[in-house]
Amino acid sequence: MKSMKALLAALSVVTLLSACAPEVGSEAWCKEMKEKPKGDWTANEAADYAKHCVFN
């Protein structure tokens, strides 16, 4: 029972944290990426930025 409560608490935290990130391609996401140092971008982030924020 104790491990079940710990698992539910961990899942709740993960759900809350994942809901904080803006959707890829949204205006908020583009702004966030523009402020993030280019050296910290992943290849997927760079491709998504080009697709949604530059060529859109």
Side-chain angles (χ1 to χ4, degrees):
M1 188 69 176
K2 193 173 190 178
S3 62
M4 181 65 109
K5 287 182 182 180
L7 178 62
L8 288 174
L11 287 174
S12 296
V13 168
V14 169
T15 301
L16 288 173
L17 291 177
S18 66
C20 295
E23 182 180 347
V24 173
S26 68
E27 188 174 326
W29 183 83
C30 290
K31 183 178 179 182
E32 184 177 292
M33 290 302 294
K34 195 178 288 188
E35 295 171 359
K36 184 177 180 178
K38 307 292 187 260
D40 293 344
W41 290 14
T42 65
N44 287 339
E45 287 175 333
D48 287 337
Y49 183 84
K51 180 180 177 183
H52 297 289
C53 306
V54 176
F55 297 116
N56 189 7

